Amino acid sequence: MANQAGGGNELLSAQKSSDSGLQIILHPLPILEISDFITRGYQRNFKGAVVGGLLGQQNGREITIEHSFSIKSVKKEGDGGVYELDDEWFRQRLDQMKLVHKSPQLDLVGWYALVPKSGPTVLHLPIHHQISAVNESAVLLGFHLEDMLSPTAGDPLPITIYESNMEAEGEDKEMKDSENPTNMVLRFRKLPYATETGEAEMIGMQFIREGGANASADDAQAETKHIAEQFEQKIAVTDGKGKRRAVMASGSASKNPVSPSKGKGKQKEEPSSSPPQAEPPNPDINLTRSESEYMAALQAKFNAIKMLKSRIALIITYLQRLPPAFTEGKQTTQEASDAARASGGQYTIPSNSILRHIQSLVTNIDLVTPAEQAALRKEMLQETNDVKLISLISDLLTSVTEVKEAGKKFSILDSSRQTRGQRGVGGYVGQMGDRSIDYEFTGTYNTTQLRGHPEFGATGSVSQEFGGASDALYNSD
Amino acid sequence: MELPLTDKLTSNHLDALYSYTHFSSNQPASHTGDHASKPWVQDPQYFKSVRISPVALLKMVMHARSGGSLEVMGMMQGFIDHSTFVITDAFRLPVEGTETRVNAQGEADEYLVQYLSGCREESRQENVVGWYHSHPGYGCWLSGIDVETQKLQQLQGPMVAIVVDPDRTVAAGKVDIGAFRTFPENYTGQGGAGGGGGDKSVPLGKMEDFGAHASKYYALEVEHFKSTLDNKLLDALWNKYWVGTLAGNPLLTNRDYASSQMKDLGGKVREVVGGSGRQGGGGRLGGPGVAMGGGVSSSKGRSQDLEKIVRDVGQVAVKERAGLMAVEVKEAIFGGLKERAKAGGCGCKQE
């Protein structure tokens, strides 16, 4: 019977906030839209209420929140200056939103406002009634600015989603007699929510997230700076842990993609990217564009693996620090948790549900490895082959262009030599005398037949090109 | 309900683009006053870049994606900062399949007027500074219809056209977006490199439309910006996304796109090869005494095509390699966990 009402907020329900059955799925756009509203509000001295509508889909118990829009609000004179939505404006804007959000069709599923950490206040009630008139089960997304002002560890989102219910007042009391009908009052309850991102959203978010681009007015930097800054930011993180990235040589798929937790001793370093934090000239500027993209992908993977490792470490620490009496089975969970609390942080507090989760996690590890090992290996081989084939094609084409270039230059030289040869009868040999450069064809091209040609003489660069192009072909796998 | 009085959530310097008065006083009275004296009328390539807010970007990308293979369209609001368009918000228009209609605006006009008057009422002062639409799968460039539409738009004031390709965005893992402005009639400046988005080339089927109009517009540089509050929120959101990064298999999700790209490139290679076969033969035969001029110039065009193809293939190869790396990482971490657990003897107690 844990009491969930926080800090004496009478509007928060006295009941537990679990299992109302509604599942909320939050997409990132509304969060950014609210942030945009707030920043704009501060910069333009906005004096009204920060409120808006939430659009999403409602499929049975599942509610998605995908889009949001700001709503014009008016402050009522008297009544302590309570805000209300401008009804006509709201209806028109809602119709417009529904018109353009047709596939999939989105409807009003709730509204957002600035809410103190302790929960919604009476000030939120009028608008909530207005919204509920459109959708009975509208949720309130509360944005907690206090969290942003003094962020807690772990960077949780400063958002709580509340659903509202009509509850009988004073439910904990005994049954009332029929002369005093119970009052139904509005109560808010916290709803757990999950975030979900579609592919396009994820890519958009990464695009926004990357680079140090801020909104300062004199910021007119070219794109190359973004990539460099991105690396500065991320590689600095790497160095903070004393680990370096095992950088791949470009072109070959990684042979050592294990997470850094396993490869502590064997980090390979490419000379071009061994940056201590303080170095101002960024060595990664030398990377070509495709290499930078590859690095970015690697970096993202690295960050994800790091996160995974830290989470696992957290679980392990939790297990390790359980009170020894408990692990040996000598105490019940209740006793152990009391003792652990009393020990003031030395032991972690055992909780049956957490332990059950961990147990299921461990059992589920078995599920991760698919049963059909042979088929999996074959498919992996196929995929690898496809990728290598495409790499080979790419290298081949590059070589072909280089050969083409060389061939073009050669034919220019050749023809100009022939015209010159025709003009000056005797001077030809003289002109050629000091340019009898030995050339070697290291390739297998059909140009070898030209070797024996008496008038032939090429500049060193042409032969170099042929050599380079053929080397590239030989070196690709 | 109202914004609490604090200056910790925003920085006047770093979030300057979010204020409006700072800029409207700077603007050379862009939306009022004598039209012909505006600097962008004097110089058709006056505007150089575009800066997009996170909200506008996400809305455009999601709108494009939700349209599937149909083109979608919308408008953008913002203001001008010297030679940069600053786009603060975007909104959809109830129109679809704009490519086949000459005047896509006609039906959406009423919606537009109503929407904008609503914005004024909630004190959003920004003007419309452009329009966006999507080219699902065929790259960021302006078709003939788009060029006409943009020309009309530009007559009404400083406007920019933005094109988003949702398919390439998802396949490449990077937002495929381009911003363009058209030249007035009879303008002979350089430009026209605006088409094709620089990196990705245009599919064979659309080449004609692209080529016919490529010289009528030029591309602006696209940048994004974000506020300090956005930064904090994005960090908080990232904590939830790392799972997808590890668990996803990009080779699988991009299979269709990669195959279609390769097929398209194959067709282009065939074309180029067919052409240069003739070229090479002519060059050799016409050796002594024949001016190489003609041969060189058209082979130059061929080699440019070839270079583009090589670049495209290179990019596909990079994407595929990255995808393979992702799969291998998964394999290394999660593969054989059962065996490793048994062999390592973690000694977990059964609870």
Side-chain angles (χ1 to χ4, degrees):
Chain A
M1 281 252 255
N3 191 338
Q4 292 291 330
N9 185 339
E10 59 182 17
L11 280 178
L12 275 184
S13 163
Q15 295 182 358
K16 277 168 36 169
S17 63
S18 53
D19 332 320
S20 63
L22 280 181
Q23 289 177 12
I24 306 280
I25 303 206
L26 179 62
H27 286 247
L29 180 56
I31 302 174
L32 288 176
E33 201 262 325
I34 298 176
S35 155
D36 184 74
F37 195 162
I38 294 174
T39 312
R40 221 174 345 113
Y42 273 115
Q43 286 292 323
R44 301 187 196 184
N45 287 323
F46 181 65
K47 289 297 173 218
V50 176
V51 287
L54 299 171
L55 296 170
Q57 302 175 60
Q58 195 155 357
N59 300 319
R61 290 292 181 79
E62 191 183 276
I63 301 184
T64 71
I65 303 179
E66 302 179 25
H67 206 269
S68 63
F69 58 97
S70 54
I71 303 179
K72 179 182 170 211
S73 57
V74 287
K75 197 166 186 175
K76 286 285 174 228
E77 306 305 323
D79 263 343
V82 177
Y83 279 98
E84 272 187 10
L85 303 176
D86 181 329
D87 213 35
E88 199 187 309
W89 191 99
F90 171 55
R91 301 239 172 237
Q92 193 195 47
R93 183 50 60 95
L94 184 59
D95 287 337
Q96 287 171 339
M97 287 288 124
K98 282 201 206 171
L99 183 61
V100 290
H101 285 271
K102 278 230 171 98
S103 55
Q105 180 68 52
L106 297 184
D107 285 313
L108 187 73
V109 293
W111 63 295
Y112 67 78
L114 296 179
V115 170
K117 202 79 171 114
S118 51
T121 65
V122 288
L123 297 174
H124 295 100
L125 281 181
I127 300 188
H128 191 76
H129 284 306
Q130 280 179 295
I131 301 274
S132 304
V134 179
N135 180 340
E136 279 179 2
S137 51
V139 298
L140 162 60
L141 188 148
F143 195 90
H144 306 303
L145 276 183
E146 306 123 319
D147 276 350
M148 293 271 85
L149 286 171
S150 47
T152 54
D155 275 335
L157 282 177
I159 287 177
T160 313
I161 302 202
Y162 303 94
E163 61 155 357
S164 67
N165 282 312
M166 300 304 286
E167 291 172 10
E169 194 173 9
E171 212 165 314
D172 291 341
K173 298 203 187 106
E174 300 291 324
M175 258 180 56
K176 295 194 158 75
D177 46 48
S178 52
E179 288 154 15
N180 291 336
T182 51
N183 280 332
M184 299 298 280
V185 285
L186 188 75
R187 288 284 178 262
F188 288 103
R189 270 209 297 219
K190 286 189 193 175
L191 267 185
Y193 63 92
T195 49
E196 193 181 277
T197 340
E199 290 171 280
E201 289 168 297
M202 175 83 80
I203 295 170
M205 303 265 300
Q206 276 182 358
F207 182 72
I208 298 170
R209 191 166 182 262
E210 283 163 10
N214 51 39
S216 55
D218 44 28
D219 199 53
Q221 299 303 320
E223 230 177 31
T224 48
K225 188 178 182 215
H226 293 174
I227 298 185
E229 265 179 271
Q230 164 190 338
F231 281 116
E232 250 158 21
Q233 207 179 5
K234 288 176 180 171
I235 287 179
V237 168
T238 330
D239 286 350
K241 292 264 183 182
K243 300 192 202 324
R244 303 292 177 88
R245 277 223 47 77
V247 177
M248 317 300 156
S250 69
S252 54
S254 158
K255 299 280 182 293
N256 184 21
V258 281
S259 76
S261 65
K262 298 185 178 126
K264 270 181 204 149
K266 339 176 206 164
Q267 303 291 332
K268 292 196 290 255
E269 280 183 51
E270 252 194 20
S272 69
S273 64
S274 53
Q277 273 151 302
E279 237 187 76
N282 195 317
D284 292 319
I285 282 178
N286 292 328
L287 296 176
T288 66
R289 175 132 186 183
S290 56
E291 282 170 345
S292 328
E293 284 181 20
Y294 197 59
M295 284 283 290
L298 289 173
Q299 193 69 49
K301 278 278 170 301
F302 174 70
N303 288 340
I305 295 176
K306 208 163 70 142
M307 182 65 87
L308 179 67
K309 174 172 188 277
S310 73
R311 294 281 159 97
I312 294 181
L314 188 65
I315 297 181
I316 293 177
T317 318
Y318 173 80
L319 287 172
Q320 280 174 338
R321 296 243 208 109
L322 285 175
F326 177 72
T327 36
E328 288 163 17
K330 295 202 184 111
Q331 276 178 325
T332 63
T333 316
Q334 190 61 36
E335 291 171 6
S337 51
D338 291 336
R341 274 196 200 99
S343 75
Q346 193 195 353
Y347 295 123
T348 48
I349 303 168
S351 145
N352 282 343
S353 61
I354 294 183
L355 291 169
R356 267 195 286 270
H357 276 300
I358 299 179
Q359 169 78 30
S360 65
L361 180 67
V362 172
T363 358
N364 285 343
I365 287 179
D366 284 350
L367 292 174
V368 170
T369 20
E372 304 271 315
Q373 282 297 333
L376 180 67
R377 246 186 282 280
K378 186 166 168 215
E379 260 204 56
M380 277 286 289
L381 209 56
Q382 271 176 345
E383 293 278 355
T384 321
N385 283 345
D386 285 341
V387 172
K388 296 246 194 244
L389 188 65
I390 296 182
S391 290
L392 189 60
I393 293 178
S394 159
D395 291 340
L396 189 67
L397 277 178
T398 329
S399 309
V400 165
T401 34
E402 285 176 15
V403 171
K404 207 167 147 52
E405 279 302 308
K408 240 184 356 182
K409 287 183 190 164
F410 162 69
S411 56
I412 295 174
L413 283 169
D414 191 43
S415 74
S416 77
R417 178 154 350 287
Q418 298 196 5
T419 52
R420 241 184 311 152
Q422 285 174 8
R423 258 183 275 125
V425 178
Y428 184 66
V429 173
Q431 283 173 10
M432 277 311 300
D434 47 28
R435 290 229 258 125
S436 52
I437 299 166
D438 248 78
Y439 55 89
E440 298 236 333
F441 284 109
T442 56
T444 57
Y445 305 119
N446 292 336
T447 50
T448 46
Q449 69 208 23
L450 296 164
R451 267 199 115 156
H453 203 290
E455 300 171 289
F456 199 78
T459 59
S461 66
V462 177
S463 69
Q464 266 172 26
E465 281 187 38
F466 276 119
S470 67
D471 279 345
L473 250 199
Y474 280 148
N475 288 342
S476 61
D477 293 326
Chain B
M1 302 287 283
E2 294 165 343
L3 291 168
L5 282 173
T6 173
D7 58 355
K8 295 228 184 66
L9 290 169
T10 184
S11 148
N12 281 343
H13 171 60
L14 290 175
D15 296 337
L17 285 182
Y18 284 84
S19 76
Y20 185 73
T21 48
H22 170 77
F23 291 96
S24 59
S25 55
N26 273 345
Q27 293 179 55
S30 62
H31 296 273
T32 55
D34 180 21
H35 176 74
S37 65
K38 303 293 186 309
W40 50 88
V41 176
Q42 312 282 335
D43 174 14
Q45 294 206 28
Y46 174 71
F47 290 110
K48 300 278 184 294
S49 59
V50 166
R51 302 187 72 186
I52 310 184
S53 81
V55 177
L57 184 77
L58 262 188
K59 282 190 185 176
M60 290 195 277
V61 168
M62 289 178 62
H63 188 196
R65 186 81 177 139
S66 74
S69 54
L70 285 180
E71 290 88 0
V72 296
M73 176 178 167
M75 306 296 290
M76 305 182 295
Q77 296 166 296
F79 53 87
I80 299 173
D81 177 21
H82 301 299
S83 63
T84 303
F85 280 98
V86 176
I87 297 178
T88 55
D89 199 3
F91 56 92
R92 307 183 178 197
L93 286 177
V95 199
E96 272 182 0
T98 57
E99 270 239 296
T100 54
R101 299 174 208 196
V102 178
N103 188 8
Q105 288 290 89
E107 298 166 14
D109 269 348
E110 195 189 322
Y111 181 93
L112 186 60
V113 166
Q114 280 185 349
Y115 187 93
L116 286 178
S117 75
C119 287
R120 295 259 185 274
E121 285 178 31
E122 62 159 347
S123 345
R124 270 200 209 224
Q125 305 101 323
E126 290 99 324
N127 289 316
V128 168
V129 289
W131 61 293
Y132 70 90
H133 68 288
S134 67
H135 279 181
Y138 50 98
C140 294
W141 47 279
L142 291 185
S143 69
I145 315 267
D146 298 337
V147 168
E148 294 309 309
T149 315
Q150 174 63 9
K151 277 199 188 143
L152 281 175
Q153 293 271 336
Q154 286 187 199
L155 289 179
Q156 299 173 22
M159 303 277 262
V160 63
I162 284 203
V163 184
V164 181
D165 185 343
D167 293 348
R168 288 202 180 161
T169 294
V170 172
K174 284 183 77 177
V175 177
D176 196 33
I177 190 168
F180 310 103
R181 272 181 60 83
T182 51
F183 299 130
E185 301 282 345
N186 310 322
Y187 176 73
T188 52
Q190 86 276 34
D199 299 349
K200 290 278 184 280
S201 50
V202 183
L204 282 175
K206 303 272 182 185
M207 267 300 220
E208 274 188 52
D209 196 7
F210 164 65
H213 304 278
S215 56
K216 297 189 187 157
Y217 57 93
Y218 72 101
L220 292 86
E221 201 182 313
V222 175
E223 297 167 350
H224 65 282
F225 65 89
K226 53 188 187 281
S227 69
T228 45
L229 194 58
D230 286 336
N231 262 324
K232 297 184 190 146
L233 287 169
L234 284 170
D235 282 338
L237 278 171
W238 166 251
N239 285 339
K240 316 235 174 201
Y241 294 147
W242 59 274
V243 177
T245 320
L246 271 183
N249 182 351
L251 282 183
L252 210 56
T253 36
N254 294 342
R255 192 168 281 171
D256 286 339
Y257 176 69
S259 322
S260 67
Q261 277 293 88
M262 293 306 286
K263 192 163 150 215
D264 198 57
L265 288 167
K268 285 194 188 152
V269 168
R270 219 167 291 134
E271 264 188 23
V272 171
V273 165
S276 61
R278 277 175 266 120
Q279 271 304 314
R284 248 181 276 135
L285 289 177
V290 172
M292 280 302 292
V296 168
S297 62
S298 45
S299 77
K300 198 166 165 200
R302 289 284 169 207
S303 63
Q304 259 183 1
D305 289 340
L306 198 58
E307 267 177 39
K308 261 206 212 139
I309 295 178
V310 170
R311 254 205 318 266
D312 291 339
V313 175
Q315 284 185 327
V316 176
V318 169
K319 293 290 176 302
E320 292 289 303
R321 271 204 295 273
L324 187 66
M325 183 267 298
V327 174
E328 286 182 354
V329 166
K330 260 169 86 173
E331 173 74 27
I333 298 181
F334 299 114
L337 274 177
K338 212 195 257 178
E339 287 80 17
R340 253 188 266 155
K342 289 200 182 114
C346 59
C348 306
K349 286 208 186 79
Q350 292 296 319
E351 190 69 26

